[in-house]
Amino acid sequence: MQQQAGLHVFIVAGEESGDQLGFKLMRSLRARHPDIRFSGVGGHAMTGEGLMSLFPLDDIAVMGFTAVIGRLRTIIDRVHRTVDAAVAARPDILVIIDSPDFTHAVAKRVRKRLPDLPVVDYVSPSVWAWRPGRARKMRAYVDHVLALLPFEPAAHARLGGPQCSYVGHPLIERLAELRPASGERPALAEGAPATVLVLPGSRRSEVSRLMPVFRETLPLVEAASRRPLHWLMPVVPHLADEIEAAVATWPVKPQIVHGAAAKLAAFRQAHAALAASGTVTLELALSGVPMVVAYKVGWLESQVRHLLTVSTITLANLILGESAIPERLQWDCTPEKLAGTLAPLIEEGPERQAQLAALARLDAAMRIGDEAPSERAARIVLAVVGR
């Protein structure tokens, strides 16, 4: 491919997960095009790749309707500051990463002021799950979508969205870390102990809603189990202290696991999991850990469920096209129902075997070949610039 001279990429991430995607994309772009510079918005990982962020990600990294409303003035200010900076920079391309409430607000305004600037959206909004009309509207300000999930290009084509390419989920680069070595996950022999993960989430709001339910669930699972259970609870650093304080009062106390490496080790040892909905469920699925997915939201957020156009919110289920992983959501998210669903997964019975068989089909569904996701994403970004 012919090299463009002095390529300038304006790149905008809105939260930590986008920062992780962003730094890998920056690294892959630089490998393909050494004469490149970056400006925009990112976190610690992207700044480590040479980005001078316009402001800290903490200014805009909020989730949930009520949290967004509370920070609305700051978020609006940061949108305008980002747009002004992009227009002043006159880059060769704008790349927005996830966090559509923020990044799409930026892209729409930049497109109005720089109509010829190509725009790439890295991570598709969930147009296949709710508000499908967003796909067609995106065509006015997005030229190409880089999808993390294999069914998303077909969804955009069906809904009249922008051109969309599946580049692969970043987790497929980490299979060696997620999957157990020989003997690392012992077989579930009759009466042998089992390791069970408890994952209440990474955001304070979801943790505060799920922890009381999980507290009452664990004793019910213990009572139903025919084997000793070893409970592990990996925690995110910013919530570790309050989770530890809460668990200290639980009748069944999981062992708290700190740090990314220890979390991955726990995944490789685990036989089953009780997990909040989110990316962690795909991590568990790729690790081969049967699970039950739990989720509770506030009343305002719960009204969105009536607008959903899919029958499941679990990523592995969506990728496989089947409800292989059981979900207990909102009013169904009770200790009794969670325990009744989790307990059979800790035995070598039909429920466990059926879920393991489904999880084994994920690799084929998510395969992208020899390229890493960030490398494929970088190749498409440069192709869009070349057009």
Side-chain angles (χ1 to χ4, degrees), residues 206-217 246 250 296 335:
E206 62 188 359
V207 168
S208 66
R209 294 187 181 104
L210 287 177
M211 286 285 281
V213 183
F214 286 5
R215 180 186 194 276
E216 305 305 321
T217 300
W250 285 22
K296 291 175 77 75

Side-chain angles (χ1 to χ4, degrees), residues 31-55:
R32 286 178 169 267
H33 195 304
D35 189 9
I36 192 169
R37 60 193 177 96
F38 301 97
S39 56
V41 179
H44 296 297
M46 289 168 67
T47 57
E49 283 297 312
L51 179 77
M52 291 189 62
S53 183
L54 294 170
F55 46 81

Side-chain angles (χ1 to χ4, degrees), residues 285-297:
L286 289 169
S287 185
V289 180
M291 75 196 88
V292 55
V293 174
Y295 209 59
K296 291 175 77 75
V297 296

Side-chain angles (χ1 to χ4, degrees), residues 24-280:
K24 290 180 181 178
L25 176 62
M26 291 169 67
R27 186 173 291 175
S28 294
L29 284 168
R30 186 175 285 112
R32 286 178 169 267
H33 195 304
D35 189 9
I36 192 169
R37 60 193 177 96
F38 301 97
S39 56
V41 179
H44 296 297
M46 289 168 67
T47 57
E49 283 297 312
L51 179 77
M52 291 189 62
S53 183
L54 294 170
F55 46 81
L57 273 193
D58 289 347
D59 287 3
I60 56 173
V62 293
M63 292 294 295
F65 296 138
T66 52
V68 170
I69 290 169
R71 299 281 294 280
L72 195 56
R73 187 186 298 268
T74 299
I75 293 170
I76 291 172
D77 172 79
R78 300 307 185 263
V79 167
H80 290 298
R81 188 188 298 187
T82 306
V83 171
D84 289 343
V87 172
R90 300 276 168 168
D92 295 291
I93 191 167
L94 168 64
V95 178
I96 58 173
I97 307 178
D98 209 357
S99 306
D101 289 339
F102 180 79
T103 62
H104 286 232
V106 169
K108 289 175 189 175
R109 289 162 175 79
V110 171
R111 174 53 59 90
K112 286 181 180 178
R113 294 171 63 180
L114 295 176
D116 296 327
L117 179 68
V119 178
V120 169
D121 182 12
Y122 195 0
V123 185
S124 172
S126 304
V127 294
W128 35 266
W130 73 295
R131 289 171 56 202
R134 289 179 295 167
R136 186 174 295 276
K137 291 177 180 176
M138 284 170 61
R139 291 178 63 178
Y141 59 91
V142 171
D143 298 293
H144 206 115
V145 178
L146 307 178
L148 303 191
L149 303 173
F151 59 84
E152 290 179 316
H156 274 278
R158 184 179 70 251
L159 297 170
Q163 186 175 355
C164 179
S165 300
Y166 172 54
V167 298
H169 198 285
L171 285 177
I172 65 179
E173 297 180 82
R174 307 183 66 190
L175 293 180
E177 300 173 86
L178 287 165
R179 293 189 173 161
S182 177
E184 201 168 7
R185 183 181 292 158
L188 280 179
E190 185 73 26
T195 298
V196 187
L197 302 179
V198 186
L199 298 149
S202 59
R203 297 187 176 97
R204 183 168 279 104
S205 58
E206 62 188 359
V207 168
S208 66
R209 294 187 181 104
L210 287 177
M211 286 285 281
V213 183
F214 286 5
R215 180 186 194 276
E216 305 305 321
T217 300
L218 270 57
L220 298 179
V221 178
E222 289 256 343
S225 180
R226 301 196 296 269
R227 63 179 73 246
L229 301 180
H230 180 210
W231 300 93
L232 296 177
M233 183 182 283
V235 296
V236 292
H238 65 282
L239 297 176
D241 290 345
E242 58 191 88
I243 288 176
E244 284 202 72
V247 165
T249 68
W250 285 22
V252 174
K253 298 177 177 60
Q255 178 184 336
I256 302 297
V257 174
H258 297 274
K263 169 192 162 181
L264 291 168
F267 279 35
R268 296 192 299 268
Q269 298 163 19
H271 297 96
L274 172 61
S277 175
T279 303
V280 72

